[in-house]
Amino acid sequence: MKILHTADIHLGQIIYQNYERSDEHDYYFSQLEQWCREEQPDALIVSGDVFDIQQPSAATWKTFTDKFVHLHRTYPEMHIVIVAGNHDSASRIQSHNAIWELANVHLIGTPPPADFATLEGWEEHFVIKLPSGYIVALPYMTGERTSMIQTLLDYVAADNIEEKPVIMTGHLAVTGSDMTGHDLDIGNVRTQEIKSLGIGFDYLALGHIHKPQTIGHEGDCMEADVTYLAPVIRYAGSALHVSCDETYPHTVSVVELDRHRGNVHIRQLRINELRHFYILPSEQTSYARAEDALEGIRQFAEGKGRGYIRLQVESKTSLPSDFNQMVYSLIEPYHGELRYNPKILWTGIQENEAAEIVKPKFEVAEIQQMTDPLLFIEKTQHQYPELDMDEVREAFVEIEAEIKRMAEENKSSRKRATQN
Ligand SMILES: [Mn+2]
């Protein structure tokens, strides 16, 4: 059984409040298409966060449709399995499943209901049975669902008399993974123990953590070619740098399994990104004067002329209040090829001082009064030049998911109470 494993595509992402990334996604999909054609996998697995926001624009939905129809046509025998991540709308993804099934594309959005075990045929919603093996597909779920997962794996085990490979996919953070690039202070990624994910899979194809890695073999991040004995748990990593902290290479994994409980062979295909991230003047040095920083940008523009740039500045430097505006005017002629991250990296300051700078404070009571606090923050963000809106949005997505989960739990416990 052979699969291509990718994740965290974040279609429709607007980065640094300014830049849409559709040409970068086009470039990624053109590479993915070529790999599907060359590798001819039994399945392409997308382990969540196919979209960046829960209500993507019509243009972003069109991109999704165009890209996956094209991938299907590239190699029609291939199944495509897409599970919803925390950034996706579970119900929207699910609502498109029936039509996509006609093209061997399986969209798994909503998790099983609390009373799943009593529903006839429910396993088939989450288990995709291919001639070469099984794919257990789990969308993003908050909280541990060990018994549900194990029930699915037991269902597969009972069916699997020929000892075919068993793949499971999901969107979650496993305890012990390397979360480089994720801001743990604000996004606060909740982790799940490996043992809570059940027994019986040979390869667990994960998304959510953006750095490509095999759990327990973290040193292999840059290895092109490895073989391990099943079971193997792996993050494919994000398709593009979703933030400038993701300085590691991004890859798509080709995974080959010979049989159930056999060998898992992993190859990494390096994704070539259309725009790279740069720190100016360099990671080791900082600007001490505003003029030098502007001159540095000018030189970069004339030299490379394309990419995302972020400045590193001495903390003692006083920048004019319209400094960011000056930078935007400077890069204007490059028509979005040269892109600026206004969140400056300050050097030479104490930890606690740094925390003061990068964490603007809102009064909780103030925010509780608002019907749309995110809109308020967006509208007043100029008062907080260090605020990273992408991080704030992500935090709100997490909070919304948590509220939804709590409401669901309340509902099902009320239902149980009335039934008793
Ligand atoms: Mn993601």
Side-chain angles (χ1 to χ4, degrees):
M1 186 180 196
K2 183 182 192 179
I3 59 154
L4 284 193
H5 176 201
T6 190
D8 296 274
I9 299 174
H10 290 261
L11 280 178
Q13 190 194 13
I14 306 287
I15 194 164
Y16 310 137
Q17 296 114 59
N18 254 314
Y19 307 110
E20 64 106 30
R21 312 187 73 185
S22 59
D23 56 352
E24 293 173 78
H25 279 119
D26 285 348
Y27 198 49
Y28 157 76
F29 274 102
S30 69
Q31 294 167 73
L32 191 58
E33 252 173 62
Q34 193 192 329
W35 292 328
C36 288
R37 195 177 302 121
E38 287 169 3
E39 299 287 344
Q40 308 211 329
D42 300 300
L44 165 68
I45 297 181
V46 182
S47 303
D49 284 0
V50 63
F51 292 111
D52 190 57
I53 55 168
Q54 305 217 345
Q55 294 176 22
S57 66
T60 304
W61 265 112
K62 184 176 171 351
T63 303
F64 172 87
T65 306
D66 290 349
K67 296 305 176 192
F68 284 99
V69 163
H70 209 95
L71 280 169
H72 167 70
R73 292 213 171 116
T74 298
Y75 183 48
E77 290 78 15
M78 172 179 78
H79 286 252
I80 300 176
V81 179
I82 302 172
V83 296
N86 56 315
H87 280 252
D88 302 306
S89 162
S91 50
R92 271 162 214 262
I93 297 260
Q94 189 65 52
S95 69
H96 288 75
N97 180 52
I99 189 87
W100 280 98
E101 283 282 350
L102 301 175
N104 282 345
V105 180
H106 313 271
L107 301 182
I108 295 93
T110 42
D115 54 352
F116 67 90
T118 61
L119 301 174
E120 184 81 33
W122 60 276
E123 294 94 342
E124 284 151 34
H125 295 289
F126 302 98
V127 177
I128 295 141
K129 200 171 160 181
L130 304 182
S132 57
Y134 298 81
I135 300 173
V136 179
L138 305 171
Y140 174 71
M141 295 178 270
T142 47
E144 290 188 356
R145 306 279 182 110
T146 311
S147 73
M148 184 274 289
I149 296 171
Q150 193 56 56
T151 310
L152 284 173
L153 288 168
D154 290 346
Y155 165 80
V156 170
D159 193 70
N160 190 11
I161 41 174
E162 289 176 68
E163 298 282 304
K164 289 176 183 173
V166 180
I167 290 173
M168 187 159 92
T169 181
H171 190 83
L172 53 95
V174 153
T175 308
S177 48
D178 178 351
M179 302 194 196
T180 309
H182 292 264
D183 189 327
L184 298 178
D185 293 327
I186 191 159
N188 214 346
V189 183
R190 195 200 314 256
T191 64
Q192 289 185 32
E193 297 288 335
I194 288 167
K195 64 178 189 316
S196 76
L197 302 170
I199 293 166
F201 58 80
D202 297 308
Y203 181 78
L204 179 53
L206 291 179
H208 198 31
I209 305 297
H210 289 179
K211 182 177 180 178
Q213 58 191 289
T214 306
I215 302 301
H217 305 277
E218 279 72 11
D220 79 356
C221 179
M222 309 296 159
E223 297 263 356
D225 201 319
V226 288
T227 302
Y228 302 122
L229 199 62
V232 171
I233 301 172
R234 178 168 173 82
Y235 286 96
S238 47
L240 308 177
H241 290 68
V242 176
S243 83
C244 55
D245 302 319
E246 298 181 19
T247 49
Y248 34 78
H250 293 245
T251 63
V252 167
S253 305
V254 187
V255 184
E256 286 164 277
L257 299 97
D258 47 3
R259 58 180 173 84
H260 186 40
R261 299 197 198 92
N263 283 322
V264 180
H265 179 213
I266 304 164
R267 274 181 293 137
Q268 293 195 71
L269 305 173
R270 178 79 181 259
I271 300 163
N272 190 5
E273 290 199 59
L274 194 61
R275 288 190 191 84
H276 293 272
F277 284 71
Y278 303 91
I279 291 173
L280 301 183
S282 76
E283 263 177 63
Q284 290 75 32
T285 52
S286 315
Y287 292 115
R289 302 186 318 156
E291 306 87 88
D292 295 344
L294 293 170
E295 182 50 34
I297 296 171
R298 202 169 287 125
Q299 280 176 15
F300 183 91
E302 280 162 18
K304 282 223 167 55
R306 170 187 272 188
Y308 291 96
I309 52 170
R310 189 179 187 186
L311 301 176
Q312 189 150 269
V313 181
E314 264 300 319
S315 64
K316 291 179 220 71
T317 313
S318 75
L319 298 177
S321 59
D322 61 343
F323 179 76
N324 282 339
Q325 212 39 60
M326 291 159 84
V327 175
Y328 286 125
S329 321
L330 182 60
I331 63 176
E332 235 288 332
Y334 296 89
H335 305 292
E337 280 304 325
L338 191 55
R339 300 176 165 201
Y340 176 58
N341 174 2
K343 195 178 167 191
I344 288 166
L345 291 160
W346 297 100
T347 55
I349 35 171
Q350 301 295 318
E351 276 281 304
N352 53 351
E353 285 177 61
E356 289 283 307
I357 290 175
V358 297
K359 293 205 186 80
K361 291 192 173 54
F362 303 105
E363 287 296 327
V364 173
E366 229 178 339
I367 286 179
Q368 280 172 338
Q369 303 291 319
M370 297 172 190
T371 44
D372 193 345
L374 189 56
L375 187 70
F376 167 78
I377 297 170
E378 276 170 356
K379 289 215 160 128
T380 57
Q381 58 173 285
H382 58 275
Q383 295 175 29
Y384 315 99
E386 299 300 329
L387 193 64
D388 186 330
M389 280 310 293
D390 298 326
E391 283 172 9
V392 175
R393 277 190 207 102
E394 195 149 325
F396 271 88
V397 168
E398 294 254 331
I399 293 165
E400 265 172 46
E402 186 65 22
I403 292 172
K404 220 161 131 192
R405 184 187 69 87
M406 283 162 66
E408 261 172 37
E409 271 180 10
N410 277 338
K411 211 167 97 191
S412 66
S413 65
R414 266 205 313 277
K415 212 162 144 194
R416 271 198 297 278
T418 49
Q419 278 166 355
N420 297 340

